[in-house]
Amino acid sequence: MAAAVVEDGSLTMFSEEEVKEMCGFKVGADGHVEVTCGCTSYCYGDAVGTLRVFADGDLEISCDCTPGCEEDKLSPAAFEKHSGRETARKWKNNISVIVDGEKVPLSKTALLKYYNRALTSTKSTANACRACHRDEFVRCTKCSKHRRFRLRTKDECRAYHDALVDDDWKCSDMPYEKLTCDDEEERGSHRVYRGCVRSTTCKGCTTCVCFGCDTCRFSDCCC
């Protein structure tokens, strides 16, 4: 974690250069930092608040839009909505801080670096745990056409296993799509793309992921 010593001897998460001339900047008792922020609505004007930035990536805003406002610990998105901003859901650009007398969107400051780092870490963990196995195909015993089976959920894996061991499986038995033998077969050029979330042309990942189901009958399944 980046740290810099400020005048009172305490540590902050940002260097002096990163927060230079930033209005309302101060270090909290537990090491988080605070800075004055705002969000402008063309109809209601500026809503002012105090943004708190924590080392774990959390962001909180206490709203001071009116003297009696009691909104506290708002997420940036909630603060943006509370301010009445017309083009909502773009809080990184709509919420700003004052740097050297000028409004600067959060996206152009260093204040989001811990948030972005936590977000990247969360996505990486999610992708590591996410189903990353390619789709498979079963051939119809009546028309000999190949039909695609997605392997993303427990139910989809079970449907694929059941179809694979069924010696009389037909297109009309497709569990989540209405098909008949008269429907066109997926083109061979398209079948190359197996639906693997790692790579569209992956041929090396395991057969399926079953999320701990008890219906698997194959040793190559990764339950």
Side-chain angles (χ1 to χ4, degrees), residues 27-42:
V27 182
D30 59 356
H32 75 273
V33 301
E34 298 183 1
V35 62
T36 301
C37 68
C39 188
T40 302
S41 164
Y42 298 111

Side-chain angles (χ1 to χ4, degrees), residues 51 59 74 96 146 166 187 198 206 213 217 220:
L51 170 67
L59 302 172
L74 294 173
S96 59
H146 288 90
D166 187 349
R187 293 194 305 270
R198 287 181 180 169
T206 53
C213 70
R217 305 164 190 170
D220 59 348

